[in-house]
Amino acid sequence: MDGEALSFVAELTSTSTRGVDWEDKVPVYGRAGVPVYLLVDMRDETATVFSEPSGKGYRSRTTAPFGAKLRIPAPFDCDLDTSEFEPPTEDAEGTDNTEGTGATGG
């Protein structure tokens, strides 16, 4: 995969994708050269931004709890306000109703 076509990837974890998002995708996107990877962990109610891609993944990682501001580094250089982020709701069976991930190229 050539990450140079992507400038930013953002994903929301769900019960079914959480392990893959944290364990598999972080090093893959870093090795591919994606400059910024944002992972919103719905279970832990945190947002983590990875930057400074390298041959082993990412050299930089910053995490903020929902409700705090998270600095998104270059090439964006902005603050992400996570105060509107909400944990997933559970249905009557107690399962996570938050599904899906997304990638944005730029």
Side-chain angles (χ1 to χ4, degrees):
M1 172 173 73
D2 178 9
E4 291 187 26
L6 295 171
S7 56
F8 184 87
V9 173
E11 308 218 43
L12 302 175
T13 64
S14 69
T15 303
S16 63
T17 65
R18 189 173 187 276
V20 171
D21 293 335
W22 277 105
E23 297 166 22
D24 297 338
K25 291 182 180 181
V26 172
V28 168
Y29 287 137
R31 286 191 305 263
V34 176
V36 178
Y37 176 45
L38 174 66
L39 186 55
V40 180
D41 191 316
M42 302 308 290
R43 187 186 80 188
D44 287 351
E45 299 182 30
T46 60
T48 301
V49 65
F50 297 88
S51 61
E52 300 179 36
S54 74
K56 293 183 178 183
Y58 286 99
R59 288 188 281 267
S60 179
R61 169 184 171 166
T62 304
T63 300
F66 285 4
K69 289 190 177 180
L70 177 64
R71 184 74 185 159
I72 305 297
F76 302 96
D77 290 321
C78 64
D79 290 325
L80 175 66
D81 181 359
T82 67
S83 63
E84 296 292 323
F85 292 5
E86 296 181 13
T89 59
E90 291 187 7
D91 62 19
E93 297 174 9
T95 57
D96 178 352
N97 284 325
T98 303
E99 286 292 328
T101 59
T104 304

